[in-house]
Amino acid sequence: MRSLHVSGDSLMHRTRPAVKIAGLGVFAVLIFLTREPLILLAALAASGALYFGLGQPIRAALSPLRPVILTIAIVGLFHLVLTSAEEAMVTTLRLSALMMAGAAVTATTTVSAFIETITRWTTPLERAGLAKASDIGLAVGLVVRFVPEILTRYEAIREAHRARGLRPKIATILGPLVIATLRDADNIAQAIDARGIRGQ
């Protein structure tokens, strides 16, 4: 199975997971509190430098971002058509900066560290009887771990189209991708339940 984590010894790698996740949350709030293009450009440049400075080859660094970049482009296009060019630019810059910052955190934090941090943060909810902290941590960890698998399956379906002489299209890729993803999710859920991992 693929992983979004990238081994390294950068400052981001050495920073505690709790600090990185909290910093990402603060960063997300701050960029959504401003509409100034220059500030958003600076945020995008800083987060991009952070991510691309992890030592990965450019192609390898861009590979997991392509579906997100496509989604951001579609959202920006919708804003351009339905609202205004300014709104499209602001939205695109915000989402791009957040994508780069999130990618930097994900690439330098292992899934187990994500689970441990989220579980520790949600312990007060468990004490209050609102949720089970380990279940929330497991859910977050599965989301982070499942993303590269979806990307792998997407690439496999696209290559299968090309091998058959068909032009890959979203309309013909999305159906098989969703079905395969749901099948994997069911298998993972059954495995979790069979091992009695979930407490609720």
Side-chain angles (χ1 to χ4, degrees), residues 58-134:
I58 296 297
R59 187 171 182 179
L62 286 175
S63 180
L65 300 182
R66 286 173 184 166
V68 186
I69 293 173
L70 177 60
T71 303
I72 292 174
I74 293 173
V75 172
L77 182 60
F78 269 106
H79 275 285
L80 182 61
V81 173
L82 300 178
T83 55
S84 65
E86 179 186 359
E87 188 65 33
M89 178 179 63
V90 169
T91 300
T92 301
L93 289 174
R94 281 173 173 169
L95 294 179
S96 298
L98 187 57
M99 172 191 68
M100 288 296 180
V105 172
T106 304
T108 57
T109 309
T110 62
V111 175
S112 58
F114 265 110
I115 294 176
E116 181 182 350
T117 302
I118 298 300
T119 301
R120 185 168 62 251
W121 283 357
T122 54
T123 298
L125 295 178
E126 182 172 351
R127 291 172 180 169
L130 299 176
K132 190 170 180 60
S134 59

Side-chain angles (χ1 to χ4, degrees), residues 1-199:
M1 296 179 71
R2 287 174 55 182
S3 173
L4 293 177
H5 180 258
V6 178
S7 300
D9 192 38
S10 66
L11 178 61
M12 280 290 290
H13 284 89
R14 297 193 300 270
T15 303
R16 291 174 54 195
V19 174
K20 288 186 284 189
I21 297 173
L24 178 61
V26 172
F27 180 78
V29 171
L30 291 178
I31 63 174
F32 276 91
L33 289 178
T34 180
R35 295 180 58 84
E36 179 59 45
L38 290 179
I39 296 177
L40 293 175
L41 274 172
L44 175 57
S47 58
L50 200 62
Y51 178 63
F52 288 108
L54 297 178
Q56 302 180 79
I58 296 297
R59 187 171 182 179
L62 286 175
S63 180
L65 300 182
R66 286 173 184 166
V68 186
I69 293 173
L70 177 60
T71 303
I72 292 174
I74 293 173
V75 172
L77 182 60
F78 269 106
H79 275 285
L80 182 61
V81 173
L82 300 178
T83 55
S84 65
E86 179 186 359
E87 188 65 33
M89 178 179 63
V90 169
T91 300
T92 301
L93 289 174
R94 281 173 173 169
L95 294 179
S96 298
L98 187 57
M99 172 191 68
M100 288 296 180
V105 172
T106 304
T108 57
T109 309
T110 62
V111 175
S112 58
F114 265 110
I115 294 176
E116 181 182 350
T117 302
I118 298 300
T119 301
R120 185 168 62 251
W121 283 357
T122 54
T123 298
L125 295 178
E126 182 172 351
R127 291 172 180 169
L130 299 176
K132 190 170 180 60
S134 59
D135 287 353
I136 298 175
L138 177 62
V140 173
L142 286 175
V143 169
V144 174
R145 192 65 186 85
F146 218 64
V147 169
E149 292 306 306
I150 295 176
L151 295 177
T152 300
R153 201 167 292 279
Y154 170 80
E155 292 171 359
I157 295 173
R158 187 177 61 177
E159 290 303 318
H161 276 64
R162 290 176 175 171
R164 291 172 173 81
L166 302 175
R167 183 180 178 183
K169 297 179 180 179
I170 293 296
T172 58
I173 291 179
L174 190 58
L177 180 62
V178 170
I179 292 172
T181 301
L182 291 176
R183 186 186 299 119
D184 286 345
D186 285 339
N187 292 336
I188 291 174
Q190 290 173 8
I192 290 173
D193 288 336
R195 289 164 176 78
I197 295 175
R198 288 192 293 186

